[in-house]
Amino acid sequence: MDDSYSTHIAAPLDQELLYFWAIGDLHFRDHEQWKKLHTPRMAQMFDDLQTVWQEERRPAFCVFPGDLVERGALRNYELAKKQLAMYLKDMPFYPGIGNHEYLPEEDENAPHGIEEFVSTWAVPIRYAWLAGEDEGIVCIMLEQPDWFFPDRYELNMDVVFTPEALAFLDETLTAHAGRTAIIFAHCPLKNTVLDRDPVRNLDDDSLTRFFFVENSPAVRDILARHSNAALYICGHTHSGWGSPQLIHTETLGSHPLTHVNLMSPWYTGFHGPVKSDDDQTLVYRSDDPDMLASFAVHIYPQKAIIRVRDHRTQQWLAQWEVPSV
């Protein structure tokens, strides 16, 4: 008998290792007109989620990879924290920082950094945690880079993962080589989720500047070297239902990696809150179709099952089965 062995017993192929819920950009904002439009959609989604979790079972956690707030003022974080505590009750959740967390409010004249994010959620901007059966899965949260140039009050429209973020990704995947890895980030990699109709330009997509990671080749090089990298889950584009490659599997190195783009429950496409004709109030302009969607993710030893639910109709829309190794 070989003296080298592991106390980790491989799970049967049909045994679920982890079940969690992934939710796209929420954009909480402590603004009265905003809340009148925003709160009913959030309540409808979370009410339906609680129903699903009671009828099926509770997931291990929820994850929100960025743009939890519309702008980075502390009052918006406080609202988001209060509302999520009410909606999720004691459900654990993992937040990420998106581009909107850096934006100032209308009554502010300087961008925000990471301080409000870190102090509100008590996590760093990039971090990892273990999950699932026998902690056999490592989850990695990467940060959206600062939306502003460091030396001037001007938006930087090139999304470039920092050397520190790339090193963290590489080192964490190496340290947990025996675990299935799920990567969360706000921004998609290039040439993943696409526009529903490029001629009419219905969506931001991963071929449009600012809506893909500029150094995607460097990210893919890292992921290609680590066969445990299984899923890359992101948001940012507010892609509408029917967007090509919303769920997209590619081969990196010798293994598959699946990209999951989370539709925003707040709005999809170029819709959502807009000024009224008299410029006095906010009104909500719906996409077609107007989906209020979030994603259930089930991880098995050799596959992942991803389900998307529309909370407006309280119906499951679709299910994908993708490789997890």
Side-chain angles (χ1 to χ4, degrees), residues 139-192:
C139 300
I140 303 169
M141 180 69 75
L142 300 178
E143 79 276 17
Q144 181 81 354
D146 195 330
W147 199 358
F148 290 83
F149 287 100
D151 57 347
R152 59 190 186 275
Y153 189 16
E154 180 184 335
L155 292 175
N156 180 359
M157 302 305 289
D158 292 324
V159 179
V160 180
F161 282 173
T162 64
E164 293 79 9
L166 295 178
F168 179 79
L169 176 62
D170 193 17
E171 291 164 5
T172 306
L173 288 170
T174 299
H176 299 281
R179 293 182 166 97
T180 298
I182 304 171
I183 297 93
F184 299 98
H186 187 58
C187 190
L189 298 188
K190 189 172 184 178
N191 197 21
T192 52

Side-chain angles (χ1 to χ4, degrees), residues 282-293:
L282 286 177
V283 296
Y284 189 87
R285 186 176 61 185
S286 299
D287 196 3
D288 182 18
D290 181 17
M291 295 294 185
L292 185 53

Side-chain angles (χ1 to χ4, degrees), residues 3 12 32 35 48 63 68 85 99 119 132 136 233 261 267 286 288 292 308:
D3 290 335
E32 289 308 312
K35 289 190 290 186
D48 186 49
V63 64
L68 266 166
N99 55 297
S119 64
I233 299 178
N261 184 262
Y267 69 87
S286 299
D288 182 18
L292 185 53
V308 59

Side-chain angles (χ1 to χ4, degrees), residues 23 52 76 78 89 111-112 139 141 145 169 181 210 224 245 256 264 313 315 320:
I23 302 177
V52 172
N76 296 330
E78 291 172 344
K89 300 179 172 55
H112 288 272
C139 300
M141 180 69 75
L169 176 62
F210 184 63
Q245 301 185 176
S264 169
T313 62
Q315 299 290 323
W320 293 263

Side-chain angles (χ1 to χ4, degrees), residues 259-309:
H259 301 265
V260 180
N261 184 262
L262 305 173
M263 300 164 62
S264 169
W266 178 211
Y267 69 87
T268 55
F270 300 112
H271 298 86
V274 296
K275 286 289 185 69
S276 60
D277 291 340
D278 61 7
D279 206 36
Q280 297 301 306
T281 60
L282 286 177
V283 296
Y284 189 87
R285 186 176 61 185
S286 299
D287 196 3
D288 182 18
D290 181 17
M291 295 294 185
L292 185 53
S294 66
F295 293 68
V297 182
H298 306 258
I299 308 297
Y300 296 85
Q302 294 188 354
K303 67 181 180 182
I305 293 176
I306 302 157
R307 299 184 294 162
V308 59
R309 184 171 177 88

